[in-house]
Amino acid sequence: MTTPVQETKAQRVERLKREKNPWECLDEIRRFAREGFNSIPAEWLGTYFRWWGVYTQGDGAGVVGGKGGEGKSAPYFMIRIRVPGGILSSHQLRAISDAAKLHARGVADLTVRQNVQLHWVSIESLPEVLEILWRAGLTTTGSCGDDTRNITGCPVAGLDGDEICDASPLVLQATELLVGNPAFYNLPRKLKICITGCRVWCSYPEINDVGLTALSYTRNGHPEVGFSLQVCGGLSSEPFFAKRLSAFVRWGQVLPVIKGVAEIYRDADCLRENRERARLKYLFMRHGWTPEHFQEELERRIGFRLEPAGDDNPPADSYRDHVGIHPQKLEGYCYVGAAVLRGRITAEQLGAAADLAEDFARGELRITNMQNLLVVNVPSKRAEELARELAAVGLRPEGSPFWRGAIACTGMEFCKLAITETKSFARWLVEEMDELLPGFDQDLKLHITGCPNSCGQHWIADIGIEGKKMKVDGQIVDAYYFFVGGAVGEHRKFARPVGYRCPASEVPQAIARLLRAYESGRFDAENLRQFFARHGEGTLRQFLAGEEVAAVTRDSSPGRPPHGVEG
């Protein structure tokens, strides 16, 4: 008798996607809400819900106790709300506050892709949460799953006096083109797009599948604004910077180009064979594609040639967290940015921010890629008062470099792939650093990720720490492995693993030793990136440990790259 061939994970997911477009199945979700959690079939829990921005929530133990590299689920869901370009109105923020208060235990998270995430949502509550969001003009559609994720952009688009152009209309148009479009519901994996008109690339086009950055050229004596195009960037456990194509993309060509890239990805059957190697970057990393090949195929699909691009002027060592009071291009107005430590925000803070945006401005807000919240179009004469009111509800418009620069992924609290707890740890770490180095005044990107999959973007941090476990006095404890020297822009470079690991409880002292070595040993005007670049791993390890220590091997990921954890 012939033994039936067992499906691989990739084959199973591809079969499920062929059988059903989840966007057409809202009635099934409503039925599950009526019948309860136990009525939900495995294919919905593990696959289809993600197309609705819904992800099963971990049981609080992370990857521990599960199987196949994934931990156990609780009977609750995470819901990811997509906010294109991070642009929100006060009534939308208030709707999120209401949903969090009524159905998500009063908390939410701002993410590194300008989304908002809710947790603790029951299946019985899910339709009502979706209705609350829809009534406010918000959606969760496509914010997880094998489709186009939230399209990011500069959070001060249209406000920044130094921007080349306001690209936010293109962000909204591209969202309308792809999200909910049945032609693009079934991609090999997630597709991440960034469109920005700013000069400092604060939304990190280099780590997106599609990165469009504004350029201004003078052609035949006339200025013209268009975009440079980078493709196939991404982080996860195998980071890859996007490759720039030789293309000047005119404003009117942006949507056809994005559609063309999405079609290339959708039709790349070689990326459907292995879920761990299904991102667009693997065309370059595993299948021999080059920028020239990619551009040739793109031009064939869009039906026209793209003009060659000139210099794109990537920013050098820019640090832009948008925290504080900043003037806008319109005289007499500014925006006020609040640092939301590790992105965790309460329903009460969301509601207060919505009220303040109406009381002091025009009810307009923005979410940034550094998990912060801005109130925009504030009359300058009222900015200081607004800053005090935000601070009074725990949304600080100022703070130490540690408070402003800390980024944290979801972590073990809710994520089934996490090895360590990150959100509470991040707050404790920042408080410890403020005590250990109260006078430290250098811009710092301090990124915390609970596993090797880099949802906390540790590969592009000045100091990135990756969650591990280690045994101390016979007990298994949270630990972190150190990376240093990551950067984007002109000096783009992934952070180097330096072979040092320590228990989570020792991380503050290790970082303090490293930063004291920087303060005492730096050259004039030398920043952290430059300091780290001129020291070898052994020296950096010695700075961290306070003594000479042998290198520790970095463990590989215990599980597959996540479906949707990082947005």
Side-chain angles (χ1 to χ4, degrees):
M1 186 173 67
T2 304
T3 303
V5 177
Q6 187 173 0
E7 285 182 313
T8 66
K9 289 180 182 179
Q11 289 169 340
R12 180 177 183 274
V13 173
E14 291 301 321
R15 173 177 58 79
L16 290 173
K17 290 191 292 182
R18 289 192 302 270
E19 291 174 353
K20 181 179 295 186
N21 176 353
W23 292 336
E24 298 173 349
C25 303
L26 178 60
D27 285 345
E28 291 190 53
I29 295 176
R30 289 174 171 150
R31 176 170 61 80
F32 300 148
R34 292 192 301 270
E35 297 178 1
F37 187 86
N38 290 335
S39 71
I40 306 171
E43 59 266 27
W44 269 94
L45 289 173
T47 302
Y48 293 139
F49 265 133
R50 292 165 179 171
W51 273 253
W52 287 90
V54 177
Y55 198 86
T56 51
Q57 181 172 306
D59 65 356
V63 73
V64 177
K67 60 181 180 179
E70 182 173 309
K72 296 179 180 178
S73 296
Y76 297 96
F77 297 96
M78 177 272 282
I79 295 180
R80 180 177 296 137
I81 304 160
R82 67 185 309 139
V83 185
I87 300 171
L88 278 171
S89 66
S90 55
H91 81 274
Q92 290 174 322
L93 194 66
R94 194 171 289 113
I96 296 172
S97 171
D98 291 343
K101 193 179 304 179
L102 293 170
H103 302 291
R105 301 193 183 181
V107 296
D109 289 329
L110 310 183
T111 81
V112 294
R113 289 197 67 80
Q114 299 175 299
N115 298 293
V116 183
Q117 292 182 173
L118 304 179
H119 301 280
W120 296 112
V121 177
S122 68
I123 187 60
E124 292 81 4
S125 296
L126 181 55
E128 174 61 20
V129 172
L130 296 177
E131 289 287 349
I132 291 172
L133 298 174
W134 292 337
R135 287 195 295 268
L138 294 166
T139 186
T140 64
T141 303
S143 56
C144 300
D146 296 351
D147 47 30
T148 304
R149 300 301 178 85
N150 193 41
I151 300 178
T152 62
C154 177
V156 289
L159 311 172
D160 176 16
D162 194 42
E163 70 182 358
I164 298 170
C165 67
D166 174 7
S168 60
L170 291 172
V171 170
L172 300 177
Q173 290 166 25
T175 299
E176 185 176 355
L177 170 70
L178 296 173
V179 177
N181 184 341
F184 298 105
Y185 91 91
N186 181 6
L187 302 177
R189 283 293 299 275
K190 68 192 82 170
L191 180 70
K192 295 184 176 182
I193 299 171
C194 165
I195 310 172
T196 184
C198 74
R199 297 181 188 274
V200 296
W201 299 7
C202 53
S203 44
Y204 308 144
E206 307 97 325
I207 58 171
N208 279 259
D209 297 291
V210 181
L212 287 152
T213 54
L215 296 171
S216 181
Y217 281 171
T218 299
R219 295 175 181 269
N220 301 320
H222 299 286
E224 181 177 2
V225 170
F227 295 85
S228 175
L229 174 61
Q230 303 176 60
V231 297
C232 300
L235 294 181
S236 194
S237 56
E238 291 187 277
F240 188 79
F241 280 125
K243 296 291 187 182
R244 188 182 184 224
L245 305 189
S246 180
F248 177 74
V249 183
R250 290 190 164 92
W251 187 280
Q253 297 172 335
V254 166
L255 295 184
V257 163
I258 288 174
K259 182 172 180 283
V261 174
E263 289 173 347
I264 290 172
Y265 189 32
R266 180 195 62 198
D267 299 341
D269 288 340
C270 62
L271 298 178
R272 295 182 182 271
E273 297 171 359
N274 186 321
R275 297 290 292 172
E276 285 73 26
R277 298 171 184 166
R279 292 291 302 279
L280 194 59
K281 65 185 179 182
Y282 286 103
L283 290 180
F284 286 87
M285 296 177 74
R286 297 278 178 171
H287 297 285
W289 283 48
T290 64
E292 293 76 19
H293 180 187
F294 196 102
Q295 185 162 338
E296 180 181 342
E297 176 61 18
L298 176 61
E299 290 174 343
R300 185 187 71 79
R301 287 178 177 267
I302 63 180
F304 57 86
R305 297 290 298 274
L306 295 165
E307 291 192 33
D311 296 336
D312 61 349
N313 300 314
D317 293 323
S318 63
Y319 180 85
R320 195 174 188 192
D321 62 0
H322 304 91
V323 171
I325 299 173
H326 302 271
Q328 295 179 187
K329 66 170 66 176
L330 182 61
E331 188 175 353
Y333 288 86
C334 62
Y335 67 88
V336 181
V340 182
L341 181 59
R342 80 266 203 248
R344 178 59 53 87
I345 190 167
T346 67
E348 288 74 18
Q349 288 173 319
L350 290 167
D355 292 343
L356 292 170
E358 291 177 346
D359 293 344
F360 286 84
R362 303 174 184 175
E364 297 165 295
L365 304 102
R366 307 283 175 94
I367 299 170
T368 81
N369 295 73
M370 290 188 70
Q371 302 177 312
N372 295 326
L373 186 66
L374 317 181
V375 179
V376 303
N377 288 318
V378 181
S380 299
K381 61 185 179 182
R382 304 199 68 193
E384 293 287 353
E385 184 183 358
L386 172 58
R388 290 192 294 271
E389 293 291 334
L390 287 168
V393 296
L395 300 174
R396 297 186 186 181
E398 57 184 21
S400 71
F402 306 109
W403 187 282
R404 294 172 59 159
I407 297 291
C409 72
T410 299
M412 200 165 67
E413 181 182 12
F414 299 121
C415 177
K416 295 177 292 181
L417 303 176
I419 300 170
T420 59
E421 193 283 322
T422 58
K423 291 293 189 183
S424 296
F425 172 78
R427 186 179 186 94
W428 172 78
L429 174 60
V430 166
E431 291 170 348
E432 290 291 302
M433 295 312 305
D434 282 342
E435 287 190 17
L436 290 167
L437 294 175
F440 190 78
D441 61 358
Q442 299 296 305
D443 291 334
L444 171 72
K445 287 172 65 65
L446 175 58
H447 290 209
I448 303 157
T449 192
C451 79
N453 290 310
S454 194
C455 301
Q457 300 180 335
H458 66 293
W459 289 112
I460 59 171
D462 293 304
I463 301 173
I465 55 175
E466 180 183 278
K468 304 293 180 186
K469 294 290 189 189
M470 64 185 297
K471 185 174 285 189
V472 177
D473 297 330
Q475 300 293 318
I476 300 297
V477 299
D478 282 3
Y480 284 93
Y481 193 91
F482 281 75
F483 298 71
V484 303
V488 289
E490 181 181 358
H491 305 291
R492 68 185 195 178
K493 182 181 178 64
F494 291 123
R496 287 184 290 161
V498 298
Y500 182 69
R501 179 185 63 191
C502 69
S505 60
E506 297 178 12
V507 167
Q509 288 290 350
I511 294 176
R513 285 190 291 265
L514 178 64
L515 295 180
R516 288 188 186 115
Y518 162 70
E519 289 182 313
S520 63
R522 65 180 173 180
F523 297 148
D524 289 344
E526 186 176 43
N527 62 28
L528 283 165
R529 177 191 62 78
Q530 294 164 331
F531 177 80
F532 293 149
R534 68 177 175 87
H535 289 90
E537 282 82 359
T539 302
L540 292 167
R541 200 161 54 243
Q542 186 172 350
F543 290 158
L544 286 161
E547 60 184 355
E548 188 172 335
V549 293
V552 176
T553 303
R554 174 178 174 249
D555 299 326
S556 60
S557 172
R560 64 183 183 274
H563 241 303
V565 177
E566 87 287 19

